[in-house]
Structure formats: C-alpha cells, structure tokens
Amino acid sequence: MGKGWKNKPKKNFAEKRREKQKKKDEWDKVPQRSYPDIIRENKDFENYYKTQGIVPEDKWDAFIGTMRTNLPVAFRITGSKIEAKALLEIIKSDFFKGILNTNLNGDNENSNDEVKTILHSLPFYPEELAWQLQLTRKDIRRSEVYFRLHNFLIAETNSGNISRQEVVSMVPPLVLDVKPSHKVLDMCAAPGSKTAQLIEMIHADEGNILPEGFVIANDLDNNRCYKLVHQAKRLNSPNILITNHDSSIMPNFTITKPDGTKDILKFDRILADVPCSGDGTMRKNPDIWCKWSPANGSNLHGIQYRIAKRGLELLTVGGRMVYSTCSLNPIENEAVLHRILLETGDSVQLVDCRDLVPGLICDPGIAHWKPASKNLQYYNVWEEVPEQWQTQIRPKMFPPSANEAPKFHLERCMRILPHHQDTGGFFVAVLEKIKSLPWESETLSQNVADNKNKNELSLEEEAARDAKLPESGKRPLEEGIKPQRKRKKIVGYREDPFVFFKDESEDAWQSIKDFYGISNNLDPRRLLVRSHEGKKKNIYFTSPAIRDLVICNENKVKLINTGVKTFVRCDNKNMKFRLAQEGVQSIADYISDERKLYVSKEDLIMLLQNNDPLTPPEIVKLSLDTQERLKNFATGSCILLYKEERTDNLNPLNLKMVGWKGIISLRAYVPTCDAIHYLRLLGADCSKFEKNKFEESRAAVSTEDVNDGEIETEDSISEETVTENGDCTEKIDDIKIETNK
C-alpha cells in the first residue's frame, strides 16, 4: 500500500452526516417484510431437527405446530417479599381477573359462551410469583378490551415490581440456586432479565438489608450494556456491578482480603447464557424462519466453548455454573458440553437440577447427533467431512461413541421445547466444579500478589515495572523475545470515573450527615460520585464488596455502572442534597427518626393522588396525628413511612418513600409509576392515572384532521422514538418511563 492514503483529507462532520442520511434514505426505500407476511416454514430446519432426533416422532406435529404460533406473554413479580405478596393478591383477585377473562375477539354478548381462562401461574416458579397470559404482545397492545391490562404491565414494569420475561428464560437462575452470600457472575448478561432474577436472589433475606453477596453483570456489546443498566436500576440494588468485556477472555478480578492482602476472586455461581443462533425464539422472532441454516450454530460453537471454559476457570471449587442457550441445535448445546467435559476430566461434572424446578416439563439431553454442512450433508465421523466443509465442521463437534456416552451423563441436561408448556425453546445444563481444572495453577489461585500474571497487569503497572528495570535487565529483541502485543482498544462510550468518598472529611458529607442525622454505622467510603471536579450532582451508595471490586479492577475491565442513586443536589438554603427514591430502601435505617414522618393510610393515599404539594387548604384534611407531627417537623427532604396495622395480614405492608416538607406544604416525591404501584397496594383508586389510548385516538379524529386526514396508527409507529434533541431512545416492550416530579 502506498503512502498516499495517509494524506487523504478527513471528512468533516457535515459530510459524514450527509453520507449517513443518504444510506438511511436508500435503506428506507427497500421494502421491508412485516412479521405477519413471513411464511413460517423452512424445509432445511425440519430436515435438520428430524435427523437430530430432538423430538419423538409422535410429538413432531405438536412441536412444529407450536413453533409456528406467536409466543404468549409472561411476567414475574419482583421486589421485596412483602410488596410482592401484596401484588400477588391483587393479581389473584376478582378485580384483576375481571380485566382478563374476556374472549379474545371481545364478543361478550352471549353469556353462555365459555370464557377462556387466559391467566395461570407457572408451577415451577416459587411462591406463584411468575405468571403466563394466553395472550400475545399484539393482543395486549392492539385490543381495546385489554387497555387496562396494558396500563398495569407498563406501570408495574417501570416501577420495577414486575419483570416481563419469557417463561423459559426464568429457568437458568432458578437452577443456579443462588444464596444471599454468593459471589455471582453473569457472563453474557444483556438485556438483563436473568440478571434481575439473580439480584432478587441476592436480596432474598429481607432481614439482611445489605447482603454479603453481589452480582457482576457483564456483556461484550457496549450498547446492550445500557439496556442492562436500565433493567438493573429498577431493582435499586447496591450489590451489582455492570462491566463491558469479552467474556471469553474475562480477566481475573482482584479483591482485598480481610487482612489487607490481595487475592483472585473466585465466583460461587456463574451464569453463561451464551450467544447462540436463537432458533428457540422463532415464536417471538419469526424472521429466523427465513434466515435459518445449520451453519449458524456451527459458526458459534467455538465462542460458546471458549466462554464456558473461561467460566469454569473463574469458578471456585464446589461452585456451580449454568450453561444455557435459546437454541435447539445440539452443536451449540451437548457438543459444547461434551468438549468441555473431555478437557476437564473428572474435575467437572453435570448435575441434574430438575428438583429445583418441580412442575417444569422438559426432555433430557441427547447423546447422539450428526454435524451437518451448510447444504445439509450429514457426517458420522470427522474423517467423512470433505475438505470444503472442514472449516465449518470441526473434529470436536462430534458426539461421544456409544461406549463412552454414559460417563458424560448428557441426559442430565434439560431441553425445554415449545410444545411442552406453550413456551419458547431453551437448553439448560448445570456444571459443578469438583476440583481445580487440569491446567489451573493452585499457587496462582492462592496468592495473586506473588503470582501475578504479566497479562493481567494494568497499563500503569506495566509502565512502572518497566521503568524500574535497569537497561541490562531488559532483554533485547535480538534474543528472540517478541515485543508485547498491544492491548485491544476499549470501544464504546467513555465512562465517567467512579470516585469514592475518602473519609468523613469529604466535601458535603458532614452537612448531609448532620441534616439527616445519619448514624456512624454508615461508612461514607461506600458513597461515590461520577466526577473528579465540579459540584457533586448525584451521590450513589454501594456495598463494601462492590466498592473493593471497583477500586481494585477499574484499570483491568471497563466499568459501566454501579451504585444506587441516594442523594441528589438541590441547593436548598438549609440543605444541599435531597433524598432520592431509588436509594431510600438502602439508606433508611441509617437516618434519624427526626427525618422520618409516619403517616396513616388515608394520608398516604391523599399524598400519592396529588401531583402537586398539599398546601393549607388540603393539609387540614390530613389526620390530626399527622398534622400534629408536621408542626415541629423541619423543612426539607424526608422519608414518609406507613406501616399496616392489620393483625390478620401475614405480610403487613411497610412502605418507605421520599417526601418533602415545605414551610406550609407536604408532598410525596416519587415517580408516577411508583405512585400508581403504592396506590394499588393500598387498595386506592388509580383511575386518575388510567389512559385509554384508543379513546384518545378517537377523540383526536373527531376534533381535527391529523396529517391531512390521516392518523398515525400504532402499527406505523417505529419501535424507536426520537426525542426533541434528535437523540434516539429505544422503547422496551412499549414501556415509556415518565415521572411527575
């Protein structure tokens, strides 16, 4: 290549933007196929899976018939156990069933018609906290009879009390069997529904406000990491760290032991929900019917194996790793596990964990399969593979012989097929690490300080080490020593720094501590901000373990997000920071009773139903007890507390939310979605917040001609919305976050 390319003039921003717009315009001219137009047939798909024998012959029609239908909607109830139980009672109530028990065509004229039951709890999910609707997303979003159900799902999802998730996606975290003390790694976490389950399990013991365990949620794709942040932030946990790294080469995390020495972190539980061809999701993503090829799975086998292998290296002895995919292909499933088990010998074994999901229907893993070329030529052994296919089909993709197969126990894997319980397709396997892997160094596991690998040093450590070496100690390249390979540049957005408070003397801390009467039990070093200079805008709260992980590893791996927003700058005359609703659960126990205002049920309902602060005309409607407490209550941010006094309720409500006491006013300082959630739990009227988009659309038609007589229907609205400043924000399942404060 000549040197002229170096002098090529750089394009300015306007030119780049014009080129980008031109490409977009060209793409818009290409006719796009909508999902209803996709023919859900693929002869190669049927040929391949009939040959693999993943479905008994007498069940094939049920399997392929279900694969061609749309996927029903499912959701989980999340949050604290007390609030979850209260929300569960609402879902099981006659009121909620009245919203659901409607014929799909909306015809209710004939009362003798059998009403279709469209809601049922999932038998394998503990405490009836997961439910499936015999409705598709299209039914819920486009049928007016379900507008109240749609509103319910949107509001409760935004408040973090419901997680809309596929049924089969709920299984891997359940069989991982996470305890509050466990150190958990989610290797390929985005978009985050399984991560949310893992966080809930870490916080399962409500008596322990701040559990010892934590979750590191990682993903390779920088953009998908922000979807992960969106999911995780709704749970308001100080025990999660989100990272952006290639999980197949995930670095060893350094931690500080109680005696102050450094060690390598080994995880108790690891979830490896690896990238896959995704043909188990055809009911949700019908475009896969058009794109499916046996080569898709073969091309992913290598990266799936490397992720699983690295996961086992990061796992502690006695720990468990779940390997899962949303693929039906044995090349991506059993073949990967067979390869792993061959290499690890007797140090790793498959574990049957069906007892952790009683009621789940699934088939065992298979011990025989046939790798196939792109043109569907099947091969029994590697020697049969022609040279032209030897880059696609590899020797280690073949199954064990009939004599060796029993020792691998591949039947302990779980194959969940769509016709089993009207779900998507999924594969789940649980691996237990019995002892160190054959290639692992015991000394490296014991002491990272004395046995630190050169490749794990940060760039700053490498420079400092090389600077200390005398010239005579630096071996020349002529001796055959290759120069160190340059590190791969971290791509994606540049993240703001994580700056932890140093001690009690930190700027602004003393004023916060004095105003809220924060006890000495709260170590200010667990608070952080996201800038080195300037005014602190938001202050976040983390667990001690997460703080240590950030400080010890910020130069090894790209950190995306951690901490719960707890204090927000407000620059009030008497206080610099107000409380944030996200962090109130984590911080409440450290705050003095002088900043806590106990209110009655009726008072709390009144506060939540009003967007504006209650002023003297309305304050007199509060109970006399509340009015008396307000007389001597200092102005500023506070915590509103309500505790249910009913003795017949096994799970009495105990609600905490942020409020604001003005000179002559009082308000609940919570987002609209949280206000709706609390009102539901209190059995109050939420009709003020109910919106019927179908009525609004009809009203718009009757008042004016929109767009020269044409109304933009929901079908024509893109899944992406553009904000006023031109930024593109992705909607998650038609959910749009809004706040009234």
Side-chain angles (χ1 to χ4, degrees), residues 23-200:
K23 289 180 181 178
K24 183 179 183 301
D25 293 341
E26 291 174 354
W27 172 255
D28 289 341
K29 292 177 183 178
V30 178
Q32 303 294 314
R33 298 181 66 184
S34 62
Y35 277 2
D37 296 332
I38 293 175
I39 299 174
R40 304 191 184 202
E41 289 184 7
N42 188 308
K43 297 301 181 184
D44 288 349
F45 173 86
E46 295 187 37
N47 181 317
Y48 184 80
Y49 283 117
K50 280 183 177 179
T51 302
Q52 304 301 345
I54 66 164
V55 183
E57 208 171 309
D58 59 333
K59 302 291 184 183
W60 178 263
D61 290 342
F63 163 74
I64 200 68
T66 308
M67 285 286 284
R68 289 173 176 147
T69 61
N70 289 328
L71 187 70
V73 167
F75 62 87
R76 292 185 302 105
I77 301 173
T78 64
S80 72
K81 284 188 177 180
I82 293 174
E83 292 187 28
K85 290 291 184 183
L87 193 57
L88 176 61
E89 291 305 314
I90 292 173
I91 290 172
K92 295 168 71 175
S93 68
D94 292 336
F95 166 77
F96 194 76
K97 289 179 180 177
I99 299 175
L100 298 174
N101 289 340
T102 308
N103 288 330
L104 294 181
N105 58 12
D107 182 11
N108 296 313
E109 295 179 0
N110 188 352
S111 59
N112 295 324
D113 287 346
E114 181 181 355
V115 178
K116 185 177 181 180
T117 302
I118 58 176
L119 176 72
H120 67 273
S121 64
L122 300 175
F124 64 86
Y125 206 93
E127 303 182 61
E128 296 184 294
L129 292 179
W131 295 75
Q132 186 176 38
L133 292 160
Q134 295 308 122
L135 297 168
T136 66
R137 289 172 60 188
K138 180 180 177 181
D139 295 327
I140 295 173
R141 294 172 62 184
R142 301 180 185 177
S143 300
E144 186 171 2
V145 290
Y146 297 121
F147 85 90
R148 294 177 69 193
L149 170 63
H150 191 211
N151 289 345
F152 173 86
L153 293 174
I154 289 174
E156 294 297 338
T157 302
N158 286 345
S159 64
N161 295 287
I162 272 181
S163 179
R164 296 168 73 178
Q165 182 178 359
E166 282 193 61
V167 172
V168 288
S169 175
M170 303 176 191
V171 176
L174 290 178
V175 295
L176 198 55
D177 195 24
V178 173
K179 306 298 182 189
S181 61
H182 283 160
K183 303 170 184 67
V184 184
L185 172 64
D186 191 348
M187 300 186 77
C188 310
S193 57
K194 299 180 191 69
T195 306
Q197 273 182 275
L198 298 174
I199 298 170
E200 292 167 42

Side-chain angles (χ1 to χ4, degrees), residues 4-12 15:
W5 65 275
K6 291 184 178 180
N7 299 320
K8 187 177 179 180
K10 292 184 178 180
K11 296 177 182 176
N12 60 35
E15 290 175 331

Side-chain angles (χ1 to χ4, degrees), residues 137-344:
R137 289 172 60 188
K138 180 180 177 181
D139 295 327
I140 295 173
R141 294 172 62 184
R142 301 180 185 177
S143 300
E144 186 171 2
V145 290
Y146 297 121
F147 85 90
R148 294 177 69 193
L149 170 63
H150 191 211
N151 289 345
F152 173 86
L153 293 174
I154 289 174
E156 294 297 338
T157 302
N158 286 345
S159 64
N161 295 287
I162 272 181
S163 179
R164 296 168 73 178
Q165 182 178 359
E166 282 193 61
V167 172
V168 288
S169 175
M170 303 176 191
V171 176
L174 290 178
V175 295
L176 198 55
D177 195 24
V178 173
K179 306 298 182 189
S181 61
H182 283 160
K183 303 170 184 67
V184 184
L185 172 64
D186 191 348
M187 300 186 77
C188 310
S193 57
K194 299 180 191 69
T195 306
Q197 273 182 275
L198 298 174
I199 298 170
E200 292 167 42
M201 294 172 178
I202 289 291
H203 290 276
D205 181 7
E206 289 197 293
N208 184 4
I209 302 251
L210 199 65
E212 180 186 343
F214 57 81
V215 176
I216 296 180
N218 177 73
D219 202 86
L220 172 62
D221 189 302
N222 188 256
N223 289 324
R224 282 167 60 88
C225 281
Y226 298 101
K227 293 183 183 180
L228 182 56
V229 171
H230 173 78
Q231 281 272 33
K233 273 191 172 295
R234 291 183 298 164
L235 295 177
N236 301 323
S237 170
N239 295 59
I240 180 170
L241 173 64
I242 296 171
T243 63
N244 178 204
H245 203 85
D246 182 347
S247 55
S248 67
I249 53 171
M250 198 80 182
N252 286 324
F253 287 87
T254 303
I255 55 172
T256 306
K257 297 198 294 186
D259 62 3
T261 60
K262 301 296 182 182
D263 198 1
I264 285 179
L265 170 62
K266 291 290 186 177
F267 294 92
D268 301 296
R269 297 288 188 269
I270 292 179
L271 175 57
D273 187 53
V274 299
C276 65
S277 61
D279 56 15
T281 69
M282 281 177 161
R283 300 184 67 185
K284 184 178 69 173
N285 304 307
D287 56 324
I288 296 177
W289 284 99
C290 311
K291 304 172 184 176
W292 189 91
S293 164
N296 297 343
S298 300
N299 293 338
L300 288 164
H301 173 91
I303 186 62
Q304 292 163 342
Y305 156 76
R306 290 192 294 275
I307 292 172
K309 180 180 178 181
R310 183 59 185 145
L312 289 173
E313 291 172 347
L314 295 168
L315 191 65
T316 190
V317 174
R320 287 186 174 183
M321 182 180 84
V322 164
Y323 176 88
S324 60
T325 74
C326 51
S327 169
L328 308 174
N329 196 338
I331 302 300
E332 302 177 67
N333 298 321
E334 286 92 346
V336 173
L337 292 171
H338 173 232
R339 183 175 175 181
I340 285 286
L341 293 170
L342 268 177
E343 293 191 10
T344 56

Side-chain angles (χ1 to χ4, degrees), residues 427-444:
F427 177 88
V428 183
V430 183
L431 294 157
E432 183 176 6
K433 188 173 181 179
I434 302 170
K435 60 182 183 180
S436 295
L437 304 177
W439 59 86
E440 282 185 317
S441 167
E442 292 288 349
T443 54
L444 183 61

Side-chain angles (χ1 to χ4, degrees), residues 386-405:
E387 185 176 352
Q388 70 178 109
W389 299 120
Q390 287 184 4
T391 55
Q392 179 192 324
I393 302 174
R394 304 300 299 152
K396 293 183 179 179
M397 292 180 182
F398 287 85
S401 65
N403 294 332
E404 292 186 341

